[in-house]
């Protein structure tokens, strides 16, 4: 037997969306710190579960790597940009945010697995951060929404310089490959979500 509702569910207000986005991202960042605390307590046993380049077993690290870090300094450096960019992205809807993160993580992880140096193991949320940055950077332009364009310009103005430096192979301990693949994945995801232009009647 099927049932029908007589009234539509009320749409979320901007305040509701902001609260949900804030709670999600605060919980996400807290989880990263908790995982790193467990990693520290176990003698960094979790570090081995990152993405091992071009090794079959390394593929299992693709969904795990964004939650693993090499020390508290590493997770600390990623916490604020992930919190800010994740919050802004999640304001447009939690479901889309989770899909965007999933697509970025998978594409970025595969890119890292393919092009990182042999015998390297990559972990950290910076690839996802670059993905969210790339997504926000172009989303407004591809959707032709003024607010989105303003957000993209603001994100570029605040984070652009540091993000550009992270794309350069200056430090062998930093995965510029993960940054580059994450940025490309974020831009591709924004293009995937572009709205079709309606033909004039």
């Amino acid at each position: 037997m099927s049932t029908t509702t007589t009234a539509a569910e009320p749409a979320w207000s901007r305040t509701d969306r902001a609260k949900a986005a804030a709670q999600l991202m605060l919980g996400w960042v807290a989880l990263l710190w908790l995982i790193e605390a467990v990693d520290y307590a176990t003698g960094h046993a979790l570090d081995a579960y990152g993405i091992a380049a071009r090794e079959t077993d390394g593929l299992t690290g693709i969904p795990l790597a964004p939650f693993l870090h090499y020390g508290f300094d590493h997770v600390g450096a990623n916490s604020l940009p992930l919190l800010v960019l994740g919050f802004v992205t999640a304001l447009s809807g939690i479901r889309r945010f989770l899909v965007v993160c999933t697509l970025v993580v998978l594409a970025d992880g595969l890119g890292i697995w393919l092009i990182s140096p042999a015998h390297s193991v990559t972990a950290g949320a910076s690839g996802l951060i670059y993905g969210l940055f790339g997504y926000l950077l172009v989303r407004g332009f591809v959707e032709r929404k003024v607010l989105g364009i303003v957000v993209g310009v603001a994100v570029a103005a605040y984070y652009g310089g540091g993000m550009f430096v992270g794309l350069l192979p200056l430090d062998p301990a930093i995965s510029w490959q993960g940054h580059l693949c994450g940025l490309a994945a974020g831009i591709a995801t924004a293009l995937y979500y572009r709205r079709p232009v309606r033909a004039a009647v």
Side-chain angles (χ1 to χ4, degrees):
M1 181 178 65
S2 62
T3 60
T4 58
T5 57
T6 56
E9 295 183 1
W12 279 24
S13 67
R14 292 182 180 179
T15 301
D16 291 334
R17 286 179 178 271
K19 287 181 179 179
Q23 291 171 353
L24 173 62
M25 293 315 303
L26 287 171
W28 192 314
V29 171
L31 176 62
L32 298 185
W33 282 89
L34 176 60
I35 291 173
E36 187 54 37
V38 172
D39 185 47
Y40 178 81
T42 57
H44 302 287
L46 301 182
D47 291 350
Y49 293 95
I51 303 171
R54 291 181 298 286
E55 295 183 13
T56 304
D57 293 344
L59 291 170
T60 61
I62 290 177
L64 302 177
F67 297 93
L68 305 175
H69 291 82
Y70 296 123
F72 291 109
D73 289 343
H74 189 197
V75 70
N78 283 337
S79 292
L80 185 58
L82 178 62
L83 183 65
V84 173
L85 296 175
F87 172 76
V88 175
T89 305
L91 285 176
S92 62
I94 300 300
R95 181 179 298 178
R96 174 178 287 202
F97 167 78
L98 294 176
V99 173
V100 168
C101 288
T102 300
L103 293 175
V104 168
V105 166
L106 293 177
D108 178 52
L110 183 58
I112 291 171
W113 187 81
L114 288 171
I115 69 173
S116 289
H119 310 298
S120 65
V121 179
T122 302
S126 58
L128 175 58
I129 291 169
Y130 269 80
L132 295 175
F133 172 77
Y135 175 79
L136 292 172
L137 193 65
V138 304
R139 181 187 63 177
F141 293 96
V142 299
E143 293 186 348
R144 301 183 180 182
K145 296 176 66 175
V146 174
L147 180 58
I149 293 172
V150 172
V151 169
V153 171
V155 165
Y158 190 79
Y159 285 109
M163 291 288 184
F164 175 76
V165 173
L167 296 173
L168 302 177
L170 301 176
D171 187 343
I174 296 177
S175 175
W176 64 266
Q177 297 93 341
H179 297 170
L180 179 62
C181 292
L183 180 64
I187 293 173
T189 301
L191 294 173
Y192 168 78
Y193 267 118
R194 68 185 183 277
R195 296 179 177 179
V197 178
R198 295 181 179 179
V201 178

